[in-house]
Each structure stands twice: as C-alpha cells, then as structure tokens.
Amino acid sequence: MPRFTVIVPAFRVQAYLHACLDSVLSQSFKDVEIVVVDDCSPDACGPIADEYARRDPRVTALHLPRNSGLGPARNAGMERATGDYLIFLDGDDTLLPESLQAIADRIGATGDPDVLMYDYARTYWSGRSVRNVLADRLDERGPASFRLADRPELLHLLMVVWNKAYRRSFVEAEGFTFPPGYYEDTPWTYPVLMSAGSIAVLDAVCVSYRQRRRGNILSTTSEKHFDIFDQYDRVFAFLDARPELDVWRPVLYRRMLDHFCAVHASRDRLPHPSRAAFFRRATASCRRYRTPGAPAPRRARLRHGLLRLGARRTYRALAATRRIGD
C-alpha cells in the first residue's frame, strides 16, 4: 500500500499534462501511485495517460466513457486509490520539487492527521509566481494537530481540494464524495474540515497553481456558474444532518455570501442577460440560510442588506473589494 495516491483528472489539458505527471514522478519521495482519470477528453489526454502507465507501474490510466466533470472524475479516481493519503492535483497544475517528502514528513510529525493543509503559489504565463497572500494562516507553531474550532481562520484560505492531503480511511468512513457541476470543491472542503478529528498544517508551497489566460473552467462565461447555489444547498444539508456542527452555520453563511459576491462581481463568469437572475437566486439563498441573531461582520451585514434591497450597482462595487478566489 503506497503512502500517497495522487488523483489527476484530465480534460483538455494535453499541453500541461506531461508537466503535471512529471512533477509527481520526479519527486524524491517514491512511495506514491498516480491515478490519471481521462474524463473523455477530446484531445490527447487519454493517450498521454496510457503512455505514462506503460512507462511506470505506479501510474494507472482510467478512461471514463463520457465526460462527467471534475467531481465525478475525482470520485472515479478515489475508487481506484489504495494509498494511505489522497492528494488531488489538477491536470494543468504541478507539484514543486520535494513536496511529497515535506508532506510525508509533516504527516509523520503530526501523528497522521485526518487532513493536512499546505500552501500554493499562483504561477502566471509570464513565469511570475506569487505565493498565497494568506500564507500566515499556515503557521506551524502551536499544537501539532487540532480541530477546526481551534483555528477557524483556516476557512479563509482558498476552499479547494488540491491544497490538502486527506487520510483515505477518514474519507471512506465519512462517505465523502464530490458532486457534479461547477464549484464541486465547496461541498467537499467545508464538510471535510468541519468533520475532521485532527487537522495539521504545513507552512510550505507544495503546488504551483497555473493561471491560464484562457480555458480555465471558472473563467468561462456560462450559466453553469448557477451551480454554486446547488453546492451551497449541499453544504447546508450536511449541517442539517449533523446538529453537532450547527455552530458553523453563521460562519458558512458569511463565506457563502462572500462567494456569491465574488462570482457576481466577476466580468468573466456570468452571461450579461443572466446576471439579474443570479442576483435573485443569491438573494433567495441568503434569506433561506441566514441564522437569526447570528453575529456577522459589519461588511457581511451590509452585503446582506444590499442583497435584500436589490442595490446591485453598490453591491458589486463592495463585492469587488474582497474577492475570495475560486
């Protein structure tokens, strides 16, 4: 049984997939398997995956019969995983050298936590690389492992799947899977962090997060961005099923509102004729999930009021001042 299973969904990333897989296979830490999930990609992702599987027994190429999206592709990869820990890496991103060794060392030093969080840097087409501006949240001082309640500021980090390693037995025991649709990371990361019995952090950049000029799903103009509402419905349904986690409801409400603001403020995501409908859906979701009497930051309360009153232009200007990323 390998220490890590790295799951790489691949769809229209033939220009980047070699670099992605090489970044894993060239690591000094060798106790790893890679599951490449060809999500019925129309380009050469499938043949590239097969080529790597022929060359290295640590690589498995899995071909889906139809395009299913990132969430189902990751689920398919998890079904093939045998490693102690799951690591997710998108096909256009890369691991930095010595990252797996650093992750393995930190997991060992912190007692095999359910989740290990590590850092990333945005890498631009110009070659410029910029570390996450909230890197201070990953300070390793203090207890080696902890629960989310001990360090709730971790929820301000980018809520994506690929900046963490997950103990596979924990994921399987909890039955965590990814939903279909855009923003599939949302109903994975929040429930995982809230449920984890132990979390640890690694103050090191392990992932190079490629910033593509075009072709990134979340920068594509589409009504599929309306999927965000279904994803937060799933998050709050998870809370409804776990009354002991209800303390997180006000926090998640504020994070949801921030996320809606970020999507609505982006010029690249929503078709112009759909913006009013998105605004109405956001308003309805905020009314549905607002926790009566819950404390909220002044800015969050103001956003809620702007949503309720429908002052779109002011709301967009305010949202642009604090974007939360993807």
Side-chain angles (χ1 to χ4, degrees), residues 122-234:
R122 296 176 185 266
T123 303
Y124 294 85
W125 50 88
S126 64
R128 185 170 63 101
S129 184
V130 180
R131 187 174 182 179
N132 164 33
V133 296
L134 298 178
D136 62 307
R137 304 295 200 276
L138 296 172
D139 191 334
E140 296 177 11
R141 290 174 294 184
S145 66
F146 47 85
R147 301 201 66 161
L148 183 62
D150 300 313
R151 292 181 64 170
E153 67 273 14
L154 293 176
L155 290 180
H156 289 280
L157 294 171
L158 197 62
M159 285 291 105
V160 290
V161 66
W162 43 257
N163 59 357
K164 307 170 187 72
Y166 311 85
R167 189 162 58 84
R168 184 166 61 89
S169 59
F170 159 68
V171 169
E172 292 177 349
E174 294 287 344
F176 291 127
T177 58
F178 292 91
Y182 281 17
Y183 306 101
E184 75 293 330
D185 288 357
T186 298
W188 167 280
T189 50
Y190 287 119
V192 163
L193 290 177
M194 290 186 294
S195 302
S198 55
I199 301 171
V201 294
L202 170 62
D203 185 9
V205 174
C206 295
V207 178
S208 175
Y209 176 28
R210 188 185 300 273
Q211 305 297 288
R212 293 159 61 181
R213 290 192 182 190
R214 59 181 64 88
N216 181 281
I217 289 176
L218 293 186
S219 66
T220 302
T221 303
S222 169
E223 290 193 354
K224 290 184 179 180
H225 292 285
F226 279 70
D227 289 351
I228 194 173
F229 302 115
D230 293 334
Q231 307 299 18
Y232 276 99
D233 285 344
R234 292 182 172 103

Side-chain angles (χ1 to χ4, degrees), residues 33 35 49 51 63 65 78 96-97 99 116 124 147 165 182 207 241:
E33 67 176 3
V35 180
E51 172 196 346
H63 303 277
M78 285 196 291
L96 270 65
S99 292
L116 176 74
Y124 294 85
R147 301 201 66 161
Y182 281 17
V207 178

